[in-house]
Amino acid sequence: MSEVPTTSHPASASDASLPAPTGEVEIDEWRRVNKLTMAAQMLRTLVSAIVPAVLVLSGAAYSEMQANGISFITPWLGLLLVAFIAVNLAGAWLNWVRVRYRIGANDVRVEQGIISRQARSVPYDRIQDVSLEQKLLPRLLGLVEVKFETGAGGKDELKLSYVSEAEGERLRETVRALVEGEDTAPVSASTLDTPEREIAAEQHGRTLFAMDVRRLFTFGLFNFSLVIFAVLLGALQQLEFLLPFDVWEYVGDWFNEDRIAEAGEYLSGYTTLAQVLAIIYAVVAVVVVGMASGVVRTFIRDWEFRLDRTAKGFRRRRGLLTKTDVVMPVHRVQALVVSTGVLRRRFGWHGLCFISLAQDAGSANHDVAPFAKMEEIAPIAREAGFTLPDESEDWRRASADYYFDRAVVQAFVPVVIAVVAFLQGYVVPGTLVALAAAFIAVGEHYRWRFVRHALGPEQVMSRRGWLAPGYTIASRVKLHSVEISQHPLARWRGYCTLRFGLAGGRLAFEGLRLDDAYELRAAALDPIAAVDFAKLPR
């Protein structure tokens, strides 16, 4: 990304004469964001401040009533509220006035700042994709945030907040045309009578995958989460100073030694069956809360999940509170990842992610089918130019020495702890630690059995995991490099790691025997050497 350093200068006269947004995206024309951005910023500030304000006023009123028997907060409440709204309105107006953007012939430029001005410019050869995002408040106002993705893995992406839905669609189409070197004629607003009608009829495409309410609910049951407890504890810790009483002192009164002893005596009076049922009840309660939390998170994130194949590529839309609309051109799909879980695998559920030029190989990958059957994933993979592997592939295992060394290194500390525990007479703790070491060794054995690699005519494939096996598949044509690396232990034991360079991340075959690695590298370099990457679509 090209970034112009922050400069400080007063607003120019041209700022005040910016043309109002029209129905077209003109090249090299300075424009302002939508006026409703001021309302969105004010509402966001009010919503974020309303809970602390209520708590502060309640605490002050409570303290005043305790001291004088009457509250003097109420007469000033209206005045404080009016002053708060006025200050926020002035700040929102200044922010709106001082933000402008331009779709130039060579780059996208955004300038903003009240006291000091910051100008950021992104050339088109760095832009990998343009996506639209709608959080709850902007969505209610018909606004979208435009994100220009540069392939930095989510870091330092250029964002434009906010424009109308129609303007966001026109910006996306215009910038994509400039990035791809297509005809850059502006897109007229007459093609967008409503936000639900796309720039052109072909953009509706055909649906490759969608999740209804039943699928979302099932997906949520597998997304067990106890994050609700962390959220409540975090909120309590951050806002406890606003409450009119000491929360932790109140909790401490319930969990002091006397109360714990009293509860223990009370439970000891139960029969064994009643104690077992109480434990089962507590476990079931935690499981139910975890499942409910997972269902809620899934509905919020993946509501109305839909993947379409359009003329521009793969279009994914999802979100209840925050709605995202992402389009990934087919030629930018560098690799795909098929994953599953220990439990969901038993029911035949898997997930599919794309690794693209616009993202790295971490958690920011494009989820295109997060909860699907393999027969639903296969057509999506074919549309992207990939085929799912099967047992007919020339699968190769890693060196057994590699996994033996891993087992020894990982189990060394638990074994030492277990020996010390046995020597000190701690039989039960020593046995538990020894079992943990044995589990590590067994796990490495099963990884050696199930982790495999293959180099097909058009693909590089890796299969990992024994409890929840998954695949990483990359196109051989889009590989940039092949590297063999060895650390000292690997050199001594005769194995290595074969790494394939991708624009969107890396793919590695770990623990290969040297002869297999050299053979695979030679085979992989042939199509790489034959490709002129400067002529590939960006």
Side-chain angles (χ1 to χ4, degrees):
M1 176 184 295
S2 173
E3 182 169 333
V4 181
T6 302
T7 58
S8 299
H9 57 78
S12 62
S14 61
D15 287 351
S17 60
L18 288 175
T22 63
E24 296 181 349
V25 177
E26 298 290 348
I27 305 301
D28 287 329
E29 175 190 358
W30 284 104
R31 303 168 69 87
R32 285 204 179 100
V33 295
N34 195 283
K35 291 182 178 179
L36 289 177
T37 301
M38 293 184 286
Q41 292 177 349
M42 283 189 59
L43 288 173
R44 183 174 58 188
T45 302
L46 288 173
V47 170
S48 62
I50 190 169
V51 174
V54 169
L55 291 174
V56 168
L57 292 174
S58 299
Y62 179 81
S63 301
E64 194 72 23
M65 291 179 65
Q66 290 291 100
N68 305 314
I70 187 172
S71 175
F72 296 97
I73 299 298
T74 304
W76 297 97
L77 182 58
L79 182 60
L80 290 174
L81 182 61
V82 171
F84 183 76
I85 293 176
V87 170
N88 279 279
L89 178 60
W93 181 80
L94 286 174
N95 281 325
W96 176 77
V97 168
R98 301 297 287 160
V99 175
R100 65 176 187 170
Y101 66 94
R102 184 191 68 187
I103 305 300
N106 301 308
D107 61 4
V108 177
R109 185 181 179 89
V110 177
E111 295 184 357
Q112 58 187 347
I114 298 177
I115 298 177
S116 62
R117 297 285 283 171
Q118 181 182 24
R120 299 188 63 189
S121 173
V122 182
Y124 293 125
D125 58 1
R126 293 294 308 276
I127 295 177
Q128 304 297 340
D129 197 9
V130 184
S131 62
L132 306 179
E133 180 177 297
Q134 287 181 297
K135 291 183 170 62
L136 180 59
L137 290 177
R139 186 178 180 183
L140 294 176
L141 297 173
L143 303 177
V144 297
E145 182 179 60
V146 184
K147 294 184 177 182
F148 302 94
E149 300 177 3
T150 61
K155 300 177 181 178
D156 298 328
E157 307 289 4
L158 186 62
K159 299 179 182 180
L160 186 61
S161 305
Y162 296 98
V163 298
S164 66
E165 293 177 343
E167 180 74 3
E169 287 285 359
R170 289 192 291 273
L171 281 173
R172 177 161 66 178
E173 293 304 312
T174 301
V175 171
R176 279 185 184 148
L178 291 166
V179 170
E180 300 294 341
E182 300 172 359
D183 183 12
T184 58
V187 183
S188 173
S190 62
T191 62
L192 264 174
D193 295 334
T194 66
E196 296 300 323
R197 294 178 58 189
E198 308 303 331
I199 293 289
E202 67 269 12
Q203 281 232 339
H204 285 291
R206 67 182 190 279
T207 301
L208 296 178
F209 179 75
M211 292 196 293
D212 56 15
V213 174
R214 182 178 180 181
R215 178 74 64 92
L216 286 173
F217 182 78
T218 307
F219 186 22
L221 294 178
F222 285 97
N223 281 339
F224 181 87
S225 173
L226 296 177
V227 69
I228 184 64
F229 294 109
V231 172
L232 292 176
L233 289 175
L236 187 62
Q237 183 177 6
Q238 295 296 324
L239 301 176
E240 63 172 327
F241 69 95
L242 300 175
L243 299 176
F245 56 89
D246 190 340
V247 176
W248 303 112
E249 182 178 351
Y250 182 77
V251 173
D253 291 340
W254 279 95
F255 290 94
N256 56 39
E257 294 182 1
D258 294 336
R259 286 189 177 271
I260 293 176
E262 182 180 349
E265 294 177 0
Y266 183 75
L267 291 175
S268 63
Y270 282 9
T271 64
T272 303
L273 177 61
Q275 292 177 3
V276 172
L277 291 176
I279 294 174
I280 294 175
Y281 174 80
V283 172
V284 170
V286 172
V287 170
V288 169
V289 171
M291 286 185 172
S293 178
V295 170
V296 171
R297 290 179 60 202
T298 301
F299 270 77
I300 292 175
R301 182 190 61 210
D302 293 322
W303 178 255
E304 293 185 344
F305 188 102
R306 180 175 175 180
L307 177 71
D308 294 329
R309 177 64 167 93
T310 69
K312 295 295 184 180
F314 296 99
R315 182 181 186 184
R316 188 204 68 193
R317 286 167 286 182
R318 67 175 179 179
L320 180 61
L321 301 181
T322 299
K323 183 179 179 180
T324 58
D325 186 345
V326 180
V327 178
M328 183 195 302
V330 177
H331 60 262
R332 290 187 182 149
V333 180
Q334 304 295 292
L336 56 84
V337 178
V338 180
S339 59
T340 186
V342 177
L343 291 179
R344 69 181 65 176
R345 177 198 176 195
R346 305 300 175 184
F347 296 90
W349 296 110
H350 296 77
L352 177 64
C353 296
F354 284 163
I355 297 177
S356 74
L357 280 168
Q359 300 189 351
D360 59 18
S363 59
N365 297 333
H366 286 290
D367 289 319
V368 292
F371 194 68
K373 301 287 187 178
M374 291 300 289
E375 55 267 23
E376 296 174 315
I377 290 176
I380 303 175
R382 286 195 296 269
E383 288 287 341
F386 297 87
T387 57
L388 298 181
D390 52 35
E391 294 302 325
S392 65
E393 306 288 349
D394 183 20
W395 292 107
R396 305 192 185 193
R397 287 197 181 103
S399 170
D401 294 337
Y402 169 71
Y403 286 99
F404 178 82
D405 293 345
R406 278 173 54 96
V408 170
V409 171
Q410 295 181 30
F412 177 78
V413 173
V415 168
V416 172
I417 294 175
V419 171
V420 172
F422 284 129
L423 293 177
Q424 296 293 325
Y426 298 104
V427 178
V428 175
T431 302
L432 294 176
V433 176
L435 289 175
F439 181 80
I440 292 173
V442 171
E444 293 302 322
H445 169 72
Y446 275 96
R447 287 188 179 89
W448 172 77
R449 289 186 57 190
F450 289 98
V451 175
R452 302 178 184 180
H453 313 291
L455 184 67
E458 298 179 352
Q459 302 178 153
V460 176
M461 295 159 284
S462 176
R463 182 183 187 273
R464 296 178 179 276
W466 57 286
L467 292 176
Y471 296 93
T472 302
I473 308 169
S475 172
R476 290 180 61 177
V477 174
K478 297 176 182 179
L479 296 176
H480 289 184
S481 62
V482 186
E483 172 191 352
I484 295 177
S485 63
Q486 288 180 293
H487 51 75
L489 180 60
R491 293 180 62 184
W492 177 47
R493 299 282 284 169
Y495 53 81
C496 65
T497 298
L498 186 65
R499 304 182 188 276
F500 299 95
L502 287 171
R506 278 196 172 191
L507 176 63
F509 294 174
E510 298 175 345
L512 289 179
R513 290 184 291 270
L514 275 176
D515 53 350
D516 283 346
Y518 282 116
E519 180 181 348
L520 290 174
R521 185 178 70 171
L525 285 174
D526 291 338
I528 295 176
V531 173
D532 184 355
F533 291 95
K535 296 181 179 180
L536 289 178
R538 289 180 297 171

